[in-house]
Amino acid sequence: MRKSRRAFYGRTSTEGQTAAYQEIMAEAEGFEFDQAFIDAGVSGVKVPFQERPRARRLFDYLGEGDELIIRAIDRLGRDAADVGDTMRAFLAKGITIKTVIGKLVFKAGSDISTMERMQNELFIVLLSHFAQIEVEARSAAQAAGIKWTKENQPQKYRGKAPSFDAEKLAEVRRMIAEELPMAHIAKATGLQRGTVYRIKDEPEWADGLVRKWRG
């Protein structure tokens, strides 16, 4: 008979972030697990659970009688529907789900009662709904913050700095007016040839960049 397994699943939105604190938090709360599966650099609001590389391996790793430990149920999907589908898939496979936050337990297996199954479904619907509300609230707050910054600190949203300033732009235009070869202008100014062509063909674009980065 196969020994039961306990696995921890975590996710970070960018490669530079670490999920170590999520594992440490779980262990500090008394949770033990044999292996951790971490999806690093995966968007929690764009990528469904089943399309995450480590999530797929986790689903294959766990089986009947095993336990899945997560920080909170929002780790299991990008929205309410995805969270619900993921939880139902694990439970149908006989995998018990436990959360670090709130210490919720969703029992699974052939020996659980009909009442426990009904409780699982009720909690899935309610908690996935609340998880969706939280995601939408975060998105709304982020959008409001970006809007405020654009209106009050526009310099933070100017994009990538151009490779030329007003002085170099004037130099490029002087050379263009003298009908010098584009390759010569690019080499003399240190600009990409494509940039020189764009300065020539899109004067409003070039002037706009200089104005944006002058202030």
Side-chain angles (χ1 to χ4, degrees):
M1 182 177 179
R2 182 177 71 83
K3 180 182 177 181
S4 61
R5 296 172 173 175
R6 288 174 291 186
F8 176 84
Y9 176 76
R11 179 195 56 76
T12 61
S13 298
T14 64
E15 292 288 353
Q17 292 179 325
T18 175
Y21 81 93
Q22 298 178 22
E23 298 178 48
I24 293 171
M25 180 181 175
E27 291 171 341
E29 291 293 325
F31 291 91
E32 297 180 355
F33 42 89
D34 307 303
Q35 191 168 338
F37 293 77
I38 307 297
D39 273 312
V42 176
S43 171
V45 297
K46 295 180 180 179
V47 184
F49 188 81
Q50 289 294 340
E51 293 181 13
R52 304 173 188 173
R54 297 296 290 170
R56 289 197 300 269
R57 294 193 62 180
L58 168 70
F59 194 76
D60 292 335
Y61 176 78
L62 295 175
E64 174 78 31
D66 293 342
E67 292 183 1
L68 167 61
I69 300 165
I70 51 176
R71 179 174 178 272
I73 65 165
D74 63 353
R75 303 290 94 177
L76 297 181
R78 64 177 180 177
D79 54 29
D82 193 29
V83 169
D85 290 345
T86 300
M87 293 184 71
R88 292 184 186 97
F90 277 112
L91 292 172
K93 201 175 177 182
I95 301 165
T96 293
I97 302 171
K98 295 183 176 182
T99 70
V100 176
I101 297 178
K103 293 188 176 180
L104 301 174
V105 178
F106 299 85
K107 291 183 180 180
S110 56
D111 58 339
I112 68 171
S113 66
T114 300
M115 181 61 69
E116 286 175 316
R117 295 181 191 278
M118 292 174 62
Q119 289 176 340
N120 279 345
E121 183 60 28
L122 176 61
F123 275 115
I124 288 172
V125 172
L126 290 175
L127 292 175
S128 60
H129 176 65
F130 289 140
Q132 180 65 17
I133 291 176
E134 184 178 357
V135 169
E136 292 176 356
R138 284 200 302 265
S139 297
Q142 183 180 33
I146 291 173
K147 181 180 179 182
W148 182 92
T149 304
K150 284 183 175 180
E151 293 174 351
N152 296 275
Q153 299 176 344
Q155 68 276 10
K156 290 189 176 182
Y157 284 89
R158 293 183 295 183
K160 183 180 178 181
S163 53
F164 56 87
D165 54 15
E167 184 178 351
K168 183 167 288 189
L169 177 59
E171 182 183 0
V172 171
R173 284 174 169 165
R174 177 182 58 79
M175 293 182 179
I176 292 174
E178 294 175 359
E179 299 185 351
L180 295 176
M182 292 297 180
H184 172 82
I185 298 174
K187 184 175 181 179
T189 59
L191 297 176
Q192 296 290 326
R193 192 180 303 184
T195 302
V196 176
Y197 274 107
R198 193 169 183 187
I199 288 174
K200 177 179 180 294
D201 297 334
E202 301 179 42
E204 292 182 358
W205 164 79
D207 290 334
L209 273 184
V210 169
R211 284 195 301 271
K212 183 186 293 186
W213 282 87
R214 182 178 290 162

